[in-house]
Amino acid sequence: MKTLNNLKPGESGVVDRITADGALKRHFLDMGITKGVPVTMERIAPFGDPVAVRLRGYSLSLRREEAKKIVLVSGV
């Protein structure tokens, strides 16, 4: 299972599903992280957390633990 957390800077993927529940899932949806959205890993902070991703024309910072809950389509 490939997650957003597995991407390296410059790599892209397409959101397949979100494994988070409750408020965190709602937060992801509010930020525009929905099924079928292309995402690109922009950069990773020096100590590995947080990460910056680009989607829907804007940059978004996520913690690694949050990025692990965003599953990407396999083979993309």
Side-chain angles (χ1 to χ4, degrees):
M1 180 169 74
K2 187 173 183 181
T3 65
L4 185 56
N5 183 55
N6 299 124
L7 294 181
K8 293 179 178 32
E11 292 183 338
S12 298
V14 175
V15 176
D16 183 36
R17 67 184 187 277
I18 297 171
T19 61
D21 293 318
L24 183 57
K25 185 171 187 173
R26 176 85 265 171
H27 185 60
F28 286 153
L29 296 173
D30 290 343
M31 292 187 294
I33 303 171
T34 57
K35 184 174 180 165
V37 172
V39 293
T40 302
M41 180 66 72
E42 287 190 318
R43 62 186 168 275
I44 301 170
F47 292 106
D49 205 13
V51 299
V53 297
R54 186 153 195 83
L55 67 142
R56 298 185 186 265
Y58 67 93
S59 291
L60 177 67
S61 290
L62 295 171
R63 294 183 178 169
R64 284 278 188 179
E65 285 302 313
E66 296 171 338
K68 288 178 184 176
K69 297 182 184 305
I70 301 169
V71 179
L72 304 177
V73 175
S74 297
V76 175

